[in-house]
Amino acid sequence: MPDIDAQSEPKSDLLPLLGGFELGTYLFVGNALQVIGLRTVPSDRAAFLLQLTTIFVPLVQSILARNLLLVPVKTWAACCVALAGVALIGAENVEGDASLAQFSLDSLQFSAGDQCIMLGAFVYTFHCIRLEKYAKEIPSAIRLAAAKASTETGWSALAVGAGLLAATQAGTLQNPLLGSLQTSGRGILQYTETFVNSMQDIDIGQYGTLAASLSWIGLVTIAYTISAQTYGQSRVPPSTANLIYTLQPIFTALLAYLLLGETLSYTGLVGGALIGSAVLLVVAEDGNEETGGLSTSIDSTNLL
């Protein structure tokens, strides 16, 4: 009889690469949309909009399962609460001081940057759902994380190359995508020139600080977070994982206030509170496995 384990071994060897490519592509596209949006959207506001993933994840899971009845009533209620929160945050785009008293449907506006952020949140949703599947099937979280990071690096290198190529073109490219690449490429060239010039004036004693900063960024904020997320989601359902991720906008808003001086208006704060309430409503444990939400109703490893 043929060795079944031997036949399945090549597939298991390729799985981290295939999973890393898919997940890394989701992250690259989501990050690119987020970066574009952050050109015009304050970081604390963007962080709240990104938390729509907590609403998107259970909804997309139920749609992929082809059974909308699997979505509990509390999830639909949370969607309505989140929509109200997003609407209030969108009202901040109105000229002048936005307030609850001034808010109306006519004042609801979402900039192109807002739309990029929300589209990025939708892309991150698929990363979260698919990560649970691959994390459970691949024993080594480090292998999957490495493949995912390598894919992001590869796509980023291609994007930088395309931007530098577009930057060599004379004049301004009219195509929106090519024009964006041209602007980014010229920004990269300008930043590189500034960085090289600044390195010539740096003191020898500052190299230690620079090395420590690069080590922190590379080892902690990138390598550790990717590996920890991969390991954690092999044991935690996507909806629960997203509840933990909601700590991000709290820290983002705090750091944006301390370091950048950014603040949310009263309307924005209320909108953020509504989104946070919706998040808690979706993933709150009620102690009953049969009605405890999508995390116990849907096995997302069988989706897609």
Side-chain angles (χ1 to χ4, degrees):
M1 294 182 63
D3 189 346
I4 298 179
D5 293 337
Q7 290 180 345
S8 62
E9 185 175 354
K11 180 180 178 181
S12 63
D13 289 340
L14 289 176
L15 191 58
L17 298 178
L18 296 175
F21 179 80
E22 179 184 347
L23 298 174
T25 300
Y26 289 142
L27 286 179
F28 171 78
V29 175
N31 289 339
L33 290 168
Q34 183 180 354
V35 168
I36 294 173
L38 281 171
R39 291 181 176 179
T40 57
V41 179
S43 58
D44 50 359
R45 173 186 173 89
F48 280 121
L49 291 175
L50 283 172
Q51 292 312 307
L52 287 173
T53 53
T54 311
I55 307 299
F56 291 159
V57 167
L59 290 178
V60 171
Q61 280 185 295
S62 64
I63 292 173
L64 293 177
R66 297 178 179 86
N67 189 353
L68 293 178
L69 296 179
L70 289 177
V71 178
V73 174
K74 68 176 183 181
T75 301
W76 294 115
C79 291
C80 295
V81 174
L83 179 62
V86 174
L88 289 176
I89 292 181
E92 283 197 315
N93 281 339
V94 182
E95 294 184 359
D97 294 331
S99 66
L100 289 176
Q102 296 171 327
F103 177 73
S104 67
L105 290 178
D106 293 334
S107 69
L108 178 59
Q109 299 179 21
F110 289 102
S111 67
D114 291 331
Q115 296 172 25
C116 284
I117 296 294
M118 289 187 286
L119 183 57
F122 186 72
V123 175
Y124 288 141
T125 295
F126 285 92
H127 169 265
C128 185
I129 293 175
R130 296 291 285 167
L131 176 58
E132 183 194 25
K133 173 187 185 306
Y134 287 117
K136 287 183 176 180
E137 293 182 357
I138 300 173
S140 175
I142 294 180
R143 289 187 62 187
L144 179 59
K148 185 166 60 172
S150 298
T151 299
E152 283 190 88
T153 302
W155 283 123
S156 299
L158 289 175
V160 170
L164 293 177
L165 181 61
T168 61
Q169 304 299 313
T172 302
L173 298 177
Q174 298 302 317
N175 182 279
L177 177 59
L178 295 179
S180 178
L181 285 174
Q182 185 181 52
T183 301
S184 299
R186 289 174 177 175
I188 292 173
L189 291 175
Q190 183 179 4
Y191 173 80
T192 302
E193 182 180 359
T194 302
F195 177 77
V196 171
N197 292 334
S198 64
M199 289 297 293
Q200 296 175 354
D201 300 329
I202 192 173
D203 295 333
I204 297 179
Q206 294 178 308
Y207 278 105
T209 303
L210 179 61
S213 300
L214 293 176
S215 298
W216 174 269
I217 294 173
L219 296 177
V220 179
T221 65
I222 297 178
Y224 168 74
T225 54
I226 292 177
S227 300
Q229 182 184 20
T230 302
Y231 176 82
Q233 284 206 228
S234 66
R235 291 158 173 80
V236 177
S239 58
T240 303
N242 270 285
L243 174 61
I244 299 173
Y245 300 152
T246 57
L247 293 173
Q248 177 182 341
I250 297 176
F251 293 125
T252 300
L254 178 60
L255 291 175
Y257 172 75
L258 294 176
L259 301 179
L260 304 178
E262 296 181 0
T263 58
L264 280 175
S265 70
Y266 177 63
T267 304
L269 290 173
V270 174
L274 287 176
I275 293 178
S277 299
V279 167
L280 292 176
L281 185 61
V282 168
V283 298
E285 295 289 345
D286 58 8
N288 190 331
E289 283 193 348
E290 295 182 359
T291 60
L294 283 175
S295 62
T296 59
S297 301
I298 298 178
D299 181 6
S300 60
T301 61
N302 294 324
L303 298 178
L304 298 178

